[in-house]
Amino acid sequence: VQLQASGGGLVQAGGSLRLSCAASGSISNINAMGWYRQAPGKQRELVAAVTKGGSTNYADSVKGRFTISRDNAKNTVYLQMNSLKPEDTAVYYCNADVTMFGFIRHNDYWGQGTQVTVSS
């Protein structure tokens, strides 16, 4: 299973970015998908997550500014980030809880990370 993230970049404060992450491979089912971020010198933290059924969960710091969504047919998760702030600067990682064909157990998989930089 591979997760390919894209959409990061440099943006001014108040701007917007949209991240995408597509999962590929021998995938039977994807349960939760989410986005995490890690700023320099800080621990990785959950930004937002979405279940297969569409239930969402957000970090308090991004509520009202970020929106997570997914396309189950494309095994893709998106993160629309609006009203970006300098403190949103971090490497963003996508995550998926995946069951592969022929297996019962599910495992966590991670994308390679995409840099988001917000200038003041």
Side-chain angles (χ1 to χ4, degrees):
V1 176
Q2 290 188 330
L3 271 62
Q4 183 66 45
S6 61
L10 173 64
V11 65
Q12 288 188 333
S16 298
L17 283 173
R18 188 188 193 216
L19 305 182
S20 300
C21 177
S24 61
S26 185
I27 297 170
S28 172
N29 183 60
I30 302 179
N31 300 306
M33 301 185 81
W35 290 94
Y36 290 71
R37 67 186 180 187
Q38 187 167 19
K42 294 188 177 181
Q43 290 187 330
R44 189 174 297 189
E45 64 175 357
L46 174 69
V47 176
V50 58
T51 67
K52 189 173 184 177
S55 297
T56 58
N57 180 41
Y58 294 94
D60 288 342
S61 60
V62 307
K63 284 180 180 177
R65 300 188 297 121
F66 291 10
T67 302
I68 190 169
S69 61
R70 63 187 281 176
D71 184 333
N72 291 329
K74 296 181 179 180
N75 291 335
T76 300
V77 62
Y78 306 95
L79 185 68
Q80 178 66 44
M81 304 185 293
N82 298 329
S83 301
L84 282 160
K85 304 176 180 180
E87 50 263 44
D88 294 317
T89 295
V91 178
Y92 284 69
Y93 297 91
C94 59
N95 170 272
D97 181 16
V98 177
T99 303
M100 295 180 65
F101 280 114
F103 292 84
I104 297 176
R105 290 182 59 183
H106 52 93
N107 293 288
D108 266 350
Y109 292 88
W110 293 89
Q112 80 281 14
T114 184
Q115 177 71 46
V116 172
T117 303
V118 184
S119 63
S120 57

